């Protein structure tokens, strides 16, 4: 279980590092939508909401995996 959790955390860390490295590139796209979000600093709100949603899904899946693991152990012990 610890190896799975460590592997999962390491994968997430590497994913975020790659996203951060890619985020350093300058965006040359210009359009009314991009200019609006950047001018009002709303892009940070959008990124924050997406991060919160992603973390919620990840936490839900971790919790679900733990519950399923407990049910499998209980089922093995009671034939």
């Amino acid at each position: 279980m610890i190896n799975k959790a460590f592997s999962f955390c390491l994968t997430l860390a590497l994913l975020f590092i790659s996203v951060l490295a890619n985020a350093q590139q300058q965006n040359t796209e210009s359009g009314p939508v991009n200019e609006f979000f950047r001018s009002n600093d709303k892009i940070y709100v959008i990124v924050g909401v997406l991060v919160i949603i992603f973390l919620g899904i990840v936490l839900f899946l971790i919790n679900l995996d733990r519950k399923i693991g407990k049910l499998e152990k209980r089922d093995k012990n009671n034939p």
Side-chain angles (χ1 to χ4, degrees):
M1 180 78 177
I2 293 174
N3 289 336
K4 285 174 119 178
F6 178 73
S7 174
F8 180 73
C9 290
L10 184 63
T11 303
L12 280 180
L14 292 174
L15 176 69
F16 284 129
I17 289 172
S18 68
V19 168
L20 289 175
N22 199 16
Q24 298 300 322
Q25 296 176 355
Q26 188 174 8
N27 189 3
T28 58
E29 291 183 31
S30 62
V33 175
N34 285 340
E35 290 175 10
F36 173 74
F37 284 133
R38 292 188 190 278
S39 68
N40 294 330
D41 289 332
K42 299 216 185 224
I43 192 74
Y44 301 113
V45 174
I46 293 171
V47 170
V49 168
L50 289 176
V51 166
I52 290 170
I53 291 172
F54 179 73
L55 288 176
I57 291 172
V58 167
L59 291 175
F60 172 75
L61 290 175
I62 290 171
N63 189 21
L64 188 64
D65 184 45
R66 287 181 184 167
K67 287 181 180 180
I68 290 173
K70 287 179 184 178
L71 287 173
E72 287 175 347
K73 285 181 183 178
R74 189 180 73 183
D75 190 38
K76 284 183 182 178
N77 291 337
N78 296 329

